[in-house]
Coordinates of all heavy atoms in Angstrom, one line a residue:
M16 N -15.8 138.8 -66.8 CA -16.8 138.0 -67.5 C -16.3 137.3 -68.7 O -16.5 136.1 -68.9 CB -18.0 139.0 -67.9 CG -19.2 138.2 -68.2 SD -20.5 139.4 -68.6 CE -21.8 138.3 -69.3
W17 N -15.6 138.1 -69.6 CA -15.0 137.5 -70.8 C -13.6 137.2 -70.5 O -12.7 137.8 -70.9 CB -15.1 138.4 -72.0 CG -16.5 139.0 -72.2 CD1 -16.9 140.2 -72.0 CD2 -17.7 138.3 -72.6 NE1 -18.2 140.4 -72.3 CE2 -18.7 139.2 -72.6 CE3 -17.9 136.9 -72.9 CZ2 -20.0 138.8 -73.0 CZ3 -19.2 136.5 -73.2 CH2 -20.2 137.5 -73.3
A18 N -13.4 136.2 -69.7 CA -12.0 135.9 -69.2 C -11.2 135.1 -70.2 O -10.0 135.3 -70.3 CB -12.1 135.2 -67.9
D19 N -11.8 134.2 -70.9 CA -10.9 133.4 -71.8 C -11.7 133.1 -73.1 O -12.8 133.5 -73.3 CB -10.5 132.2 -71.1 CG -11.6 131.3 -70.7 OD1 -12.8 131.7 -70.9 OD2 -11.4 130.3 -70.1
G20 N -11.0 132.4 -74.0 CA -11.6 132.0 -75.3 C -12.7 131.1 -75.1 O -13.6 131.0 -76.0
G21 N -12.8 130.4 -74.0 CA -13.8 129.4 -73.8 C -15.2 130.0 -73.8 O -16.1 129.5 -74.3
S22 N -15.3 131.2 -73.1 CA -16.6 131.9 -73.0 C -17.0 132.4 -74.4 O -18.2 132.5 -74.7 CB -16.5 133.0 -72.0 OG -15.4 133.8 -72.1
L23 N -16.0 132.8 -75.2 CA -16.3 133.3 -76.5 C -17.0 132.3 -77.4 O -18.0 132.5 -78.0 CB -15.0 133.8 -77.2 CG -15.2 134.4 -78.6 CD1 -15.8 135.8 -78.6 CD2 -13.8 134.5 -79.3
S24 N -16.4 131.1 -77.3 CA -17.0 130.0 -78.2 C -18.3 129.5 -77.7 O -19.1 129.1 -78.4 CB -16.0 128.9 -78.3 OG -15.5 128.5 -77.1
S25 N -18.6 129.6 -76.3 CA -19.9 129.2 -75.9 C -21.0 130.2 -76.2 O -22.1 129.8 -76.4 CB -19.9 128.9 -74.4 OG -19.5 130.1 -73.7
V26 N -20.6 131.5 -76.2 CA -21.6 132.5 -76.6 C -21.9 132.5 -78.1 O -23.0 132.7 -78.5 CB -21.1 133.9 -76.1 CG1 -22.0 135.0 -76.6 CG2 -21.0 134.0 -74.6
F27 N -20.8 132.3 -78.9 CA -21.0 132.3 -80.3 C -20.8 130.9 -80.9 O -20.0 130.7 -81.8 CB -20.0 133.3 -80.9 CG -20.3 134.7 -80.6 CD1 -19.7 135.4 -79.6 CD2 -21.3 135.4 -81.3 CE1 -20.0 136.7 -79.3 CE2 -21.6 136.7 -81.0 CZ -21.0 137.3 -80.0
E28 N -21.5 130.0 -80.3 CA -21.3 128.6 -80.7 C -21.7 128.3 -82.1 O -21.0 127.5 -82.8 CB -22.2 127.7 -79.8 CG -21.5 126.4 -79.5 CD -22.4 125.5 -78.6 OE1 -23.2 126.0 -77.8 OE2 -22.1 124.3 -78.6
D29 N -22.7 129.0 -82.6 CA -23.1 128.8 -84.0 C -22.0 129.2 -85.0 O -21.7 128.6 -85.9 CB -24.4 129.6 -84.3 CG -24.3 131.1 -83.8 OD1 -23.4 131.4 -83.1 OD2 -25.3 131.8 -84.1
I30 N -21.3 130.3 -84.6 CA -20.2 130.8 -85.5 C -19.0 129.9 -85.4 O -18.4 129.5 -86.4 CB -19.8 132.3 -85.2 CG1 -21.0 133.2 -85.5 CG2 -18.6 132.7 -85.9 CD1 -20.8 134.6 -85.2
E31 N -18.8 129.4 -84.2 CA -17.7 128.5 -84.0 C -17.9 127.2 -84.8 O -17.0 126.6 -85.4 CB -17.5 128.2 -82.5 CG -17.0 129.4 -81.7 CD -15.5 129.7 -81.9 OE1 -14.7 128.7 -82.0 OE2 -15.2 130.9 -82.0
Q32 N -19.1 126.8 -84.7 CA -19.5 125.5 -85.5 C -19.3 125.7 -87.0 O -18.7 124.9 -87.6 CB -21.0 125.2 -85.2 CG -21.2 124.6 -83.8 CD -20.9 123.1 -83.8 OE1 -21.3 122.4 -84.7 NE2 -20.2 122.7 -82.8
L33 N -19.7 126.9 -87.5 CA -19.6 127.2 -88.9 C -18.1 127.3 -89.2 O -17.7 126.8 -90.3 CB -20.3 128.5 -89.2 CG -21.8 128.4 -89.3 CD1 -22.4 129.8 -89.3 CD2 -22.2 127.7 -90.6
A34 N -17.3 127.9 -88.3 CA -15.9 128.1 -88.6 C -15.1 126.8 -88.8 O -14.1 126.7 -89.5 CB -15.3 128.8 -87.4
H35 N -15.7 125.7 -88.2 CA -15.1 124.4 -88.4 C -15.2 123.9 -89.9 O -14.4 123.1 -90.4 CB -15.7 123.3 -87.6 CG -15.3 123.4 -86.1 ND1 -14.0 123.3 -85.7 CD2 -16.0 123.6 -85.0 CE1 -14.0 123.4 -84.4 NE2 -15.2 123.6 -83.9
E36 N -16.2 124.5 -90.6 CA -16.4 124.1 -92.0 C -15.7 125.0 -93.0 O -15.8 124.8 -94.2 CB -17.9 124.1 -92.2 CG -18.6 122.9 -91.5 CD -20.1 123.1 -91.4 OE1 -20.7 123.6 -92.4 OE2 -20.7 122.7 -90.4
C37 N -15.0 126.0 -92.5 CA -14.3 126.9 -93.3 C -13.2 126.1 -94.0 O -12.6 125.2 -93.4 CB -13.7 128.1 -92.6 SG -15.0 129.3 -92.0
R38 N -12.8 126.5 -95.2 CA -11.7 125.8 -95.9 C -10.4 125.9 -95.2 O -9.6 125.0 -95.1 CB -11.6 126.3 -97.3 CG -10.7 125.4 -98.2 CD -10.5 126.0 -99.6 NE -11.8 126.0 -100.3 CZ -11.9 126.6 -101.5 NH1 -10.9 127.2 -102.0 NH2 -13.1 126.6 -102.1
F39 N -10.2 127.1 -94.6 CA -8.9 127.3 -93.9 C -9.1 127.3 -92.4 O -10.1 127.9 -91.9 CB -8.3 128.7 -94.4 CG -8.0 128.8 -95.8 CD1 -8.8 129.6 -96.7 CD2 -7.0 128.0 -96.4 CE1 -8.6 129.6 -98.0 CE2 -6.8 128.0 -97.8 CZ -7.5 128.9 -98.6
R40 N -8.2 126.7 -91.8 CA -8.3 126.6 -90.3 C -8.2 128.0 -89.6 O -8.9 128.2 -88.6 CB -7.2 125.7 -89.8 CG -7.7 124.3 -89.4 CD -6.6 123.7 -88.6 NE -7.2 122.5 -87.9 CZ -6.5 121.7 -87.1 NH1 -5.2 121.9 -87.0 NH2 -7.0 120.7 -86.5
D41 N -7.3 128.8 -90.2 CA -7.2 130.1 -89.6 C -8.0 131.2 -90.3 O -7.6 132.4 -90.3 CB -5.7 130.5 -89.6 CG -5.1 130.5 -91.0 OD1 -5.8 130.0 -91.9 OD2 -4.0 131.0 -91.1
C42 N -9.1 130.8 -90.8 CA -10.0 131.7 -91.5 C -10.5 132.8 -90.6 O -10.9 132.6 -89.4 CB -11.3 130.9 -92.0 SG -12.4 131.8 -93.0
T43 N -10.4 134.0 -91.1 CA -10.9 135.2 -90.4 C -12.3 135.6 -90.8 O -12.8 136.6 -90.2 CB -9.9 136.4 -90.6 OG1 -9.9 136.7 -92.0 CG2 -8.5 136.1 -90.1
H44 N -12.9 134.9 -91.7 CA -14.2 135.1 -92.2 C -14.4 136.5 -92.8 O -15.4 137.1 -92.7 CB -15.3 134.9 -91.1 CG -14.9 133.8 -90.2 ND1 -14.6 132.5 -90.6 CD2 -14.8 133.8 -88.8 CE1 -14.3 131.8 -89.5 NE2 -14.4 132.5 -88.4
H45 N -13.3 137.0 -93.4 CA -13.4 138.3 -94.1 C -13.5 138.1 -95.6 O -14.6 138.4 -96.1 CB -12.1 139.1 -93.8 CG -12.1 139.8 -92.5 ND1 -12.8 141.0 -92.4 CD2 -11.6 139.5 -91.3 CE1 -12.7 141.4 -91.1 NE2 -12.0 140.5 -90.5
S46 N -12.5 137.5 -96.3 CA -12.6 137.4 -97.7 C -12.0 136.1 -98.2 O -11.8 135.9 -99.4 CB -11.9 138.6 -98.4 OG -10.6 138.7 -97.9
E47 N -11.8 135.1 -97.3 CA -11.3 133.9 -97.7 C -12.2 133.1 -98.5 O -13.4 133.1 -98.3 CB -10.9 133.0 -96.4 CG -9.7 133.5 -95.7 CD -10.1 134.5 -94.6 OE1 -11.2 135.1 -94.7 OE2 -9.2 134.7 -93.7
P48 N -11.7 132.4 -99.5 CA -12.6 131.5 -100.3 C -13.0 130.3 -99.5 O -12.2 129.8 -98.6 CB -11.7 131.1 -101.5 CG -10.3 131.2 -101.1 CD -10.3 132.3 -100.0
G49 N -14.2 129.8 -99.7 CA -14.6 128.6 -99.0 C -14.9 128.8 -97.5 O -14.9 128.0 -96.7
C50 N -15.3 130.1 -97.2 CA -15.6 130.4 -95.8 C -17.1 130.1 -95.5 O -18.0 130.6 -96.1 CB -15.4 131.9 -95.6 SG -15.9 132.5 -93.9
A51 N -17.3 129.2 -94.6 CA -18.6 128.7 -94.2 C -19.5 129.8 -93.5 O -20.7 129.9 -93.7 CB -18.5 127.5 -93.3
V52 N -18.8 130.7 -92.8 CA -19.5 131.8 -92.1 C -20.1 132.7 -93.1 O -21.2 133.1 -93.0 CB -18.5 132.5 -91.1 CG1 -19.2 133.6 -90.4 CG2 -18.0 131.5 -90.0
K53 N -19.2 133.1 -94.1 CA -19.7 134.0 -95.1 C -20.8 133.4 -95.9 O -21.8 134.1 -96.3 CB -18.5 134.3 -96.1 CG -17.6 135.4 -95.5 CD -17.7 136.6 -96.3 CE -17.0 137.8 -95.7 NZ -17.6 139.1 -96.1
T54 N -20.7 132.1 -96.2 CA -21.7 131.4 -97.0 C -23.1 131.4 -96.2 O -24.1 131.7 -96.8 CB -21.3 130.0 -97.2 OG1 -20.0 130.0 -97.9 CG2 -22.3 129.3 -98.2
A55 N -23.0 131.2 -94.9 CA -24.2 131.2 -94.1 C -24.8 132.6 -94.1 O -26.1 132.7 -94.1 CB -23.8 130.8 -92.6
I56 N -24.0 133.6 -94.1 CA -24.6 135.0 -94.1 C -25.3 135.2 -95.5 O -26.4 135.7 -95.5 CB -23.5 136.0 -93.8 CG1 -23.1 136.0 -92.4 CG2 -24.0 137.4 -94.2 CD1 -21.9 136.8 -92.0
Q57 N -24.6 134.8 -96.5 CA -25.2 134.9 -97.9 C -26.5 134.2 -98.0 O -27.4 134.6 -98.7 CB -24.2 134.5 -98.9 CG -23.2 135.6 -99.3 CD -21.9 135.0 -100.0 OE1 -21.9 133.8 -100.4 NE2 -20.9 135.8 -100.0
Q58 N -26.5 133.0 -97.4 CA -27.7 132.2 -97.5 C -28.8 132.7 -96.5 O -29.9 132.2 -96.5 CB -27.4 130.7 -97.2 CG -26.6 130.1 -98.4 CD -26.1 128.7 -98.0 OE1 -26.1 128.3 -96.9 NE2 -25.6 128.0 -99.0
G59 N -28.4 133.6 -95.6 CA -29.4 134.1 -94.7 C -29.6 133.3 -93.4 O -30.5 133.6 -92.6
S60 N -28.8 132.3 -93.2 CA -28.9 131.4 -92.0 C -28.1 132.0 -90.8 O -28.3 131.6 -89.7 CB -28.5 130.0 -92.3 OG -27.2 130.0 -92.8
L61 N -27.3 133.0 -91.1 CA -26.6 133.7 -90.0 C -26.7 135.2 -90.3 O -26.5 135.7 -91.4 CB -25.1 133.3 -90.0 CG -24.3 133.9 -88.9 CD1 -24.6 133.2 -87.6 CD2 -22.8 133.8 -89.2
E62 N -27.0 135.9 -89.2 CA -27.2 137.4 -89.3 C -25.8 138.0 -89.3 O -24.9 137.6 -88.5 CB -28.0 137.9 -88.1 CG -29.5 137.7 -88.4 CD -30.3 138.3 -87.2 OE1 -30.4 139.6 -87.2 OE2 -30.7 137.6 -86.3
V63 N -25.6 139.0 -90.2 CA -24.3 139.6 -90.3 C -24.0 140.4 -89.0 O -22.8 140.5 -88.6 CB -24.3 140.6 -91.5 CG1 -25.1 141.8 -91.3 CG2 -22.8 141.0 -91.8
V64 N -25.0 140.9 -88.3 CA -24.7 141.6 -87.0 C -24.1 140.6 -86.0 O -23.3 141.1 -85.1 CB -26.0 142.2 -86.4 CG1 -26.4 143.4 -87.2 CG2 -27.1 141.2 -86.3
R65 N -24.4 139.4 -86.1 CA -23.9 138.4 -85.2 C -22.4 138.2 -85.4 O -21.6 138.1 -84.5 CB -24.6 137.1 -85.4 CG -24.4 136.2 -84.2 CD -25.6 135.3 -83.9 NE -25.2 134.2 -83.0 CZ -25.0 134.4 -81.7 NH1 -25.3 135.5 -81.2 NH2 -24.6 133.4 -81.0
L66 N -22.0 138.2 -86.7 CA -20.6 138.1 -87.0 C -19.9 139.3 -86.5 O -18.7 139.3 -86.0 CB -20.4 137.9 -88.5 CG -18.9 137.8 -89.0 CD1 -18.2 136.6 -88.3 CD2 -18.9 137.6 -90.5
Q67 N -20.5 140.5 -86.7 CA -19.9 141.7 -86.3 C -19.7 141.8 -84.8 O -18.6 142.2 -84.3 CB -20.8 142.9 -86.7 CG -20.6 143.3 -88.2 CD -21.7 144.1 -88.7 OE1 -22.7 144.4 -88.0 NE2 -21.6 144.6 -90.0
S68 N -20.6 141.3 -84.0 CA -20.4 141.4 -82.6 C -19.4 140.3 -82.1 O -18.7 140.5 -81.2 CB -21.8 141.2 -81.8 OG -22.5 140.1 -82.3
Y69 N -19.4 139.2 -82.9 CA -18.4 138.2 -82.6 C -17.0 138.8 -82.8 O -16.1 138.6 -82.0 CB -18.6 137.0 -83.6 CG -17.6 135.9 -83.5 CD1 -17.5 135.0 -82.5 CD2 -16.6 135.9 -84.5 CE1 -16.6 134.0 -82.5 CE2 -15.6 134.9 -84.5 CZ -15.6 134.0 -83.5 OH -14.7 133.0 -83.5
R70 N -16.8 139.5 -83.9 CA -15.5 140.1 -84.2 C -15.2 141.1 -83.1 O -14.0 141.2 -82.7 CB -15.6 140.8 -85.6 CG -15.5 139.8 -86.7 CD -14.7 140.4 -87.8 NE -14.7 139.5 -88.9 CZ -15.5 139.6 -90.0 NH1 -16.2 140.7 -90.1 NH2 -15.5 138.8 -91.0
K71 N -16.1 141.9 -82.7 CA -15.9 142.9 -81.7 C -15.4 142.3 -80.4 O -14.5 142.8 -79.8 CB -17.2 143.7 -81.5 CG -17.0 145.1 -81.0 CD -18.3 145.9 -80.9 CE -18.2 146.7 -79.6 NZ -19.5 147.0 -79.1
L72 N -16.1 141.3 -80.0 CA -15.8 140.6 -78.8 C -14.4 139.9 -78.9 O -13.6 140.0 -77.9 CB -16.8 139.6 -78.4 CG -16.7 138.9 -77.1 CD1 -16.8 139.9 -76.0 CD2 -17.8 137.8 -76.9
E73 N -14.1 139.3 -80.0 CA -12.9 138.7 -80.2 C -11.7 139.7 -80.1 O -10.7 139.4 -79.5 CB -12.9 138.0 -81.6 CG -11.8 137.0 -81.8 CD -11.7 136.5 -83.2 OE1 -11.9 137.3 -84.2 OE2 -11.3 135.4 -83.4
K74 N -11.9 140.9 -80.7 CA -10.9 141.9 -80.7 C -10.7 142.4 -79.2 O -9.6 142.5 -78.8 CB -11.4 143.1 -81.5 CG -10.3 143.9 -82.1 CD -10.9 144.9 -83.1 CE -10.5 146.3 -82.8 NZ -11.2 147.2 -83.7
E75 N -11.8 142.5 -78.5 CA -11.6 142.9 -77.1 C -10.9 141.9 -76.3 O -10.1 142.2 -75.4 CB -13.0 143.1 -76.5 CG -13.6 144.5 -76.7 CD -15.0 144.6 -76.3 OE1 -15.5 143.9 -75.4 OE2 -15.7 145.5 -76.9
L76 N -11.2 140.6 -76.5 CA -10.5 139.5 -75.8 C -9.0 139.5 -76.1 O -8.2 139.3 -75.2 CB -11.1 138.2 -76.2 CG -12.4 137.8 -75.5 CD1 -13.0 136.5 -76.1 CD2 -12.2 137.6 -74.0
R77 N -8.7 139.8 -77.4 CA -7.3 139.8 -77.8 C -6.6 140.9 -77.1 O -5.5 140.8 -76.6 CB -7.2 139.9 -79.3 CG -6.0 139.0 -79.8 CD -6.1 139.0 -81.3 NE -7.1 138.2 -81.8 CZ -7.6 138.2 -83.1 NH1 -7.1 139.1 -83.9 NH2 -8.5 137.4 -83.5
H78 N -7.3 142.1 -77.0 CA -6.7 143.2 -76.4 C -6.5 143.0 -74.9 O -5.4 143.3 -74.4 CB -7.7 144.4 -76.6 CG -7.2 145.7 -76.1 ND1 -6.2 146.4 -76.7 CD2 -7.6 146.4 -75.0 CE1 -6.0 147.5 -76.0 NE2 -6.8 147.5 -74.9
L79 N -7.5 142.4 -74.3 CA -7.4 142.0 -72.9 C -6.3 141.1 -72.6 O -5.5 141.3 -71.6 CB -8.7 141.4 -72.5 CG -9.2 141.7 -71.1 CD1 -9.8 143.1 -71.0 CD2 -10.3 140.7 -70.7
A80 N -6.1 140.1 -73.4 CA -5.1 139.1 -73.3 C -3.7 139.7 -73.4 O -2.8 139.4 -72.6 CB -5.2 138.0 -74.3
A81 N -3.6 140.7 -74.3 CA -2.3 141.3 -74.5 C -1.9 142.2 -73.3 O -0.8 142.2 -72.9 CB -2.4 142.2 -75.8
R82 N -2.9 142.8 -72.7 CA -2.7 143.7 -71.6 C -2.3 142.8 -70.4 O -1.5 143.2 -69.6 CB -4.0 144.5 -71.2 CG -3.9 145.9 -71.9 CD -5.1 146.7 -71.6 NE -5.5 146.6 -70.2 CZ -6.7 147.2 -69.8 NH1 -7.4 147.8 -70.6 NH2 -7.0 147.1 -68.5
Q83 N -3.0 141.7 -70.3 CA -2.7 140.8 -69.2 C -1.2 140.3 -69.3 O -0.5 140.2 -68.3 CB -3.6 139.6 -69.3 CG -3.6 138.6 -68.1 CD -4.3 139.2 -66.9 OE1 -5.3 139.8 -67.0 NE2 -3.7 139.0 -65.7
E84 N -0.8 140.0 -70.5 CA 0.6 139.6 -70.7 C 1.6 140.6 -70.3 O 2.6 140.3 -69.7 CB 0.7 139.3 -72.2 CG 1.4 138.0 -72.5 CD 1.3 137.6 -73.9 OE1 2.0 138.1 -74.8 OE2 0.4 136.8 -74.3
D85 N 1.3 141.9 -70.7 CA 2.1 143.0 -70.3 C 2.3 143.1 -68.8 O 3.4 143.2 -68.3 CB 1.5 144.3 -70.8 CG 1.9 144.5 -72.2 OD1 2.6 143.8 -72.8 OD2 1.3 145.5 -72.8
R86 N 1.2 142.9 -68.1 CA 1.2 143.1 -66.7 C 2.0 141.9 -66.0 O 2.8 142.2 -65.1 CB -0.3 143.0 -66.1 CG -0.3 143.6 -64.7 CD -1.7 143.6 -64.2 NE -2.7 144.3 -65.0 CZ -4.0 144.0 -65.0 NH1 -4.4 143.0 -64.3 NH2 -4.8 144.6 -65.8
T87 N 1.8 140.7 -66.5 CA 2.6 139.6 -66.0 C 4.1 139.8 -66.2 O 4.9 139.5 -65.3 CB 2.1 138.3 -66.8 OG1 0.7 138.2 -66.7 CG2 2.7 137.1 -66.1
R88 N 4.4 140.3 -67.4 CA 5.8 140.6 -67.6 C 6.4 141.6 -66.7 O 7.5 141.5 -66.2 CB 6.0 141.1 -69.1 CG 7.2 140.4 -69.7 CD 7.3 140.8 -71.2 NE 6.2 140.2 -72.0 CZ 5.6 140.8 -73.0 NH1 6.0 142.0 -73.4 NH2 4.7 140.2 -73.7
L89 N 5.6 142.7 -66.4 CA 6.1 143.7 -65.5 C 6.2 143.2 -64.1 O 7.2 143.5 -63.4 CB 5.1 144.9 -65.5 CG 5.2 145.9 -66.6 CD1 4.1 146.9 -66.5 CD2 6.5 146.6 -66.5
E90 N 5.3 142.4 -63.7 CA 5.4 141.8 -62.3 C 6.6 140.9 -62.2 O 7.2 140.9 -61.2 CB 4.1 141.0 -62.0 CG 3.0 141.9 -61.6 CD 1.6 141.1 -61.5 OE1 1.6 139.9 -61.7 OE2 0.6 141.8 -61.3
E91 N 6.8 140.1 -63.3 CA 8.0 139.2 -63.3 C 9.3 140.0 -63.1 O 10.1 139.6 -62.3 CB 7.9 138.5 -64.6 CG 8.8 137.2 -64.6 CD 8.3 136.1 -63.8 OE1 7.1 136.2 -63.3 OE2 9.0 135.1 -63.7
R92 N 9.3 141.1 -63.8 CA 10.5 141.9 -63.8 C 10.7 142.5 -62.4 O 11.8 142.5 -61.8 CB 10.4 143.1 -64.8 CG 11.8 143.5 -65.3 CD 11.7 144.6 -66.3 NE 10.9 144.2 -67.5 CZ 10.4 145.1 -68.4 NH1 10.4 146.4 -68.1 NH2 9.7 144.7 -69.4
A93 N 9.6 143.0 -61.8 CA 9.7 143.6 -60.4 C 10.1 142.5 -59.4 O 10.9 142.8 -58.5 CB 8.3 144.1 -60.0
K94 N 9.7 141.3 -59.6 CA 10.0 140.2 -58.7 C 11.5 139.9 -58.8 O 12.1 139.8 -57.7 CB 9.2 139.0 -59.1 CG 9.2 137.9 -58.0 CD 8.3 136.7 -58.4 CE 9.1 135.8 -59.3 NZ 8.2 134.7 -59.9
W95 N 12.0 139.9 -60.0 CA 13.4 139.5 -60.1 C 14.3 140.7 -59.6 O 15.4 140.4 -59.1 CB 13.8 139.2 -61.6 CG 13.3 137.8 -61.9 CD1 12.3 137.4 -62.7 CD2 13.9 136.6 -61.3 NE1 12.2 136.1 -62.7 CE2 13.2 135.6 -61.9 CE3 14.9 136.4 -60.5 CZ2 13.4 134.2 -61.6 CZ3 15.2 135.0 -60.1 CH2 14.5 134.0 -60.7
K96 N 13.8 141.9 -59.7 CA 14.6 143.0 -59.2 C 14.7 142.9 -57.6 O 15.7 143.1 -57.1 CB 13.8 144.3 -59.5 CG 14.7 145.5 -59.5 CD 14.0 146.7 -60.0 CE 14.7 148.0 -59.7 NZ 13.9 149.2 -60.0
K97 N 13.6 142.5 -57.0 CA 13.5 142.3 -55.6 C 14.5 141.2 -55.2 O 15.2 141.3 -54.2 CB 12.1 142.0 -55.1 CG 11.6 143.0 -54.2 CD 10.1 142.7 -53.8 CE 9.2 143.9 -53.9 NZ 7.8 143.5 -53.8
V98 N 14.4 140.1 -55.9 CA 15.3 138.9 -55.6 C 16.7 139.3 -55.7 O 17.5 139.0 -54.8 CB 15.0 137.8 -56.6 CG1 16.0 136.7 -56.5 CG2 13.6 137.2 -56.3
S99 N 17.1 140.1 -56.7 CA 18.5 140.4 -56.8 C 18.9 141.4 -55.7 O 20.1 141.3 -55.3 CB 18.8 141.0 -58.2 OG 18.2 142.2 -58.4
Q100 N 18.0 142.3 -55.4 CA 18.3 143.2 -54.3 C 18.5 142.4 -53.0 O 19.4 142.7 -52.2 CB 17.2 144.2 -54.1 CG 17.3 145.4 -55.0 CD 16.0 146.2 -55.0 OE1 15.0 145.9 -54.3 NE2 16.0 147.4 -55.7
W101 N 17.7 141.5 -52.8 CA 17.7 140.7 -51.6 C 19.0 139.9 -51.5 O 19.7 139.8 -50.5 CB 16.5 139.8 -51.5 CG 16.4 138.9 -50.3 CD1 15.9 139.2 -49.1 CD2 16.9 137.5 -50.3 NE1 16.1 138.1 -48.3 CE2 16.7 137.1 -48.9 CE3 17.6 136.7 -51.2 CZ2 17.0 135.8 -48.5 CZ3 17.9 135.4 -50.7 CH2 17.7 135.0 -49.4
S102 N 19.4 139.3 -52.6 CA 20.6 138.4 -52.6 C 21.8 139.3 -52.4 O 22.8 138.9 -51.8 CB 20.7 137.6 -53.8 OG 20.7 138.4 -55.0
R103 N 21.8 140.5 -52.9 CA 22.9 141.4 -52.7 C 23.1 141.8 -51.2 O 24.2 141.8 -50.7 CB 22.7 142.7 -53.5 CG 24.0 143.1 -54.3 CD 23.7 144.3 -55.2 NE 22.8 144.0 -56.3 CZ 22.0 144.9 -56.9 NH1 22.0 146.1 -56.5 NH2 21.2 144.5 -57.9
K104 N 21.9 142.0 -50.6 CA 21.9 142.4 -49.2 C 22.4 141.2 -48.4 O 23.2 141.4 -47.5 CB 20.5 142.7 -48.8 CG 20.5 143.9 -47.8 CD 19.1 144.0 -47.1 CE 18.1 144.7 -48.0 NZ 16.8 144.7 -47.4
N105 N 22.0 140.0 -48.8 CA 22.4 138.8 -48.1 C 23.9 138.5 -48.2 O 24.5 138.0 -47.3 CB 21.6 137.6 -48.6 CG 20.6 137.2 -47.6 OD1 20.0 138.0 -46.8 ND2 20.4 135.9 -47.5
Q106 N 24.4 138.9 -49.3 CA 25.8 138.7 -49.5 C 26.6 139.5 -48.6 O 27.6 139.0 -48.0 CB 26.2 139.0 -51.0 CG 26.3 137.8 -51.9 CD 26.5 138.2 -53.3 OE1 26.7 139.4 -53.6 NE2 26.5 137.2 -54.2
K107 N 26.1 140.7 -48.3 CA 26.8 141.6 -47.4 C 26.9 141.0 -46.0 O 27.9 141.0 -45.3 CB 26.1 142.9 -47.3 CG 26.9 144.0 -48.0 CD 26.1 145.3 -47.9 CE 25.9 146.0 -49.3 NZ 24.9 147.0 -49.2
Y108 N 25.7 140.4 -45.6 CA 25.7 139.8 -44.3 C 26.6 138.6 -44.1 O 27.1 138.3 -43.1 CB 24.2 139.3 -44.0 CG 23.3 140.5 -43.6 CD1 22.1 140.6 -44.2 CD2 23.7 141.3 -42.5 CE1 21.3 141.7 -43.9 CE2 22.8 142.4 -42.2 CZ 21.6 142.5 -42.9 OH 20.8 143.6 -42.5
N109 N 26.8 137.9 -45.2 CA 27.6 136.7 -45.2 C 29.1 137.0 -45.1 O 29.8 136.1 -44.8 CB 27.3 135.8 -46.4 CG 25.9 135.2 -46.3 OD1 25.3 135.1 -45.2 ND2 25.3 134.8 -47.4
Q110 N 29.4 138.2 -45.5 CA 30.8 138.5 -45.5 C 31.4 138.7 -44.2 O 30.8 139.1 -43.3 CB 31.1 139.7 -46.4 CG 31.2 139.4 -47.9 CD 31.1 140.6 -48.7 OE1 31.0 141.7 -48.2 NE2 31.1 140.4 -50.0
Ligands
ZN216 ZN1 -14.5 131.5 -92.4

């Protein structure tokens, strides 16, 4: 369901929109000065629970992406192992 970053931004469009107004592009909305998300919470236009669930989902997505990367790397390694085994076998036949 939460396959990529695209779904994250569509679910939390309001936060994503606010994030564009943050002073820093890589703002984590924790303690950065000029954070539009923090300002919205202070002004009451954004609920703090919403930012919390946004963070939670973002963390899960990052975790998922990292795991996916690990798996891809393992598969790649297994594939190359097979290829080298195969070419070794083939060399024998060619001799
Ligand atoms: Zn921010």
Side-chain angles (χ1 to χ4, degrees):
M16 194 178 171
W17 310 112
D19 58 3
S22 49
L23 180 72
S24 50
S25 60
V26 174
F27 291 99
E28 216 179 338
D29 47 352
I30 294 178
E31 292 286 319
Q32 284 280 313
L33 283 166
H35 285 300
E36 287 162 40
C37 289
R38 191 183 296 172
F39 301 108
R40 253 196 166 176
D41 56 348
C42 186
T43 58
H44 324 305
H45 276 280
S46 53
E47 286 89 343
C50 175
V52 176
K53 280 248 168 209
T54 306
I56 288 168
Q57 274 159 17
Q58 288 172 347
S60 54
L61 182 75
E62 279 183 79
V63 71
V64 287
R65 198 145 165 80
L66 179 60
Q67 280 164 353
S68 50
Y69 172 79
R70 283 220 183 100
K71 204 176 143 206
L72 186 62
E73 197 189 31
K74 209 168 123 189
E75 272 170 29
L76 277 174
R77 216 172 287 161
H78 184 73
L79 213 76
R82 266 180 44 188
Q83 188 77 39
E84 225 168 81
D85 279 352
R86 200 183 301 156
T87 310
R88 220 175 293 147
L89 278 176
E90 276 170 10
E91 195 73 5
R92 211 181 294 160
K94 194 176 84 188
W95 281 111
K96 204 174 161 187
K97 240 178 230 170
V98 168
S99 67
Q100 276 170 355
W101 178 85
S102 60
R103 228 175 291 153
K104 218 193 279 172
N105 250 35
Q106 262 175 3
K107 254 182 231 162
Y108 283 126
N109 289 337
Q110 276 167 2

